[in-house]
Amino acid sequence: LIAVSESTKHDLVRTYDIDPAKISVIFSGVDQTFSRPAQDVLERFRSEKRLPERFVLCLGTLEPRKNVVGVIRAFNRLKQSGAFGDLRLVIAGAPGWLYRDIFAEAERTPHVRDIYFVGSVGDEERALYYSLASVFVYPSFFEGFGFPPLEAMACGTPVIASRTSSLPEVVADAGILVNPYDVVAIAGALSEVLRDQKLRERLTQKGLARAQEYTWRRSAQKTLDVLTRP
């Protein structure tokens, strides 16, 4: 068997009582389309989509597992502090199960006008959204692997992700890891990244280096090694 993370391997062993020796862990790769486009391309896209100068990006299927409600609540705390008047929250992704709770949460916040829902976006547009974002936040409750944080890092965007399931394996020290159940912690991490230019630069460099470790060529070679193992 092949698992995409040690976390997934652990879940397989625990749920199905499989011998761990029978499971090989092979990480997925990041497509080469995820890189930072030229600045003029970014600014043209910003103008076309009417995106703000400074925004937090949350990207993923709109469903409870992705903890989008937690992101909205953390954003609300930031805005209430009075220190981020120009900050906006951009939420990208197609509606999933129980998605209406997410829209309801946004409507309840006094800062609903600062929250933009942009719907589902393709690979090319995702790279543009990542690259324009001030910070990418992904406090998902559960991920078997978790592509978006790696994609964001490949575009040079600082990442905040969950300290749960597979995400610590993928992100490691190239991003800030938080408890996804702790809205205060999420808001604190966002505030820290947005305020500290040196931290953003450090996370950008670490993220770019980390993303380069995840290639489909490497994944394919390791898969071939497993399939041809004596």
Side-chain angles (χ1 to χ4, degrees), residues 56-63 65-68 70-71 89 92-93 126 130 135-153 158-168 170-171 176-181 186 189-190:
V56 174
L57 177 65
C58 175
L59 186 151
T61 306
L62 304 185
E63 61 187 23
R65 177 172 66 90
K66 299 296 185 180
N67 195 22
V68 183
V71 172
L89 172 61
R126 287 216 307 276
Y130 288 135
V135 56
F136 177 68
V137 60
Y138 198 73
S140 178
F141 293 124
F142 175 83
E143 293 292 331
F145 180 72
F147 282 101
L150 271 180
E151 294 170 353
M153 289 193 291
V159 167
I160 296 170
S162 296
R163 193 186 295 113
T164 57
S165 61
S166 66
L167 291 172
V170 174
V171 176
I176 294 180
L177 300 177
V178 297
N179 178 355
Y181 297 93
I186 299 170
L190 285 169

Side-chain angles (χ1 to χ4, degrees), residues 81-193:
S81 73
F84 299 96
D86 64 334
L87 188 67
R88 303 293 184 266
L89 172 61
V90 174
I91 300 174
W97 57 287
L98 297 179
Y99 71 91
R100 290 184 177 85
D101 292 345
I102 295 169
F103 290 108
E105 185 67 33
E107 288 294 331
R108 280 194 293 268
T109 176
H111 304 286
V112 61
R113 292 185 178 180
D114 295 328
I115 302 175
Y116 304 169
F117 286 93
V118 299
S120 180
V121 295
D123 286 356
E124 184 176 345
E125 283 198 341
R126 287 216 307 276
L128 292 162
Y129 277 108
Y130 288 135
S131 298
L132 286 169
S134 302
V135 56
F136 177 68
V137 60
Y138 198 73
S140 178
F141 293 124
F142 175 83
E143 293 292 331
F145 180 72
F147 282 101
L150 271 180
E151 294 170 353
M153 289 193 291
C155 294
T157 303
V159 167
I160 296 170
S162 296
R163 193 186 295 113
T164 57
S165 61
S166 66
L167 291 172
E169 296 176 58
V170 174
V171 176
D173 67 346
I176 294 180
L177 300 177
V178 297
N179 178 355
Y181 297 93
D182 188 342
V183 171
V184 175
I186 299 170
L190 285 169
S191 177
E192 185 180 7
V193 172

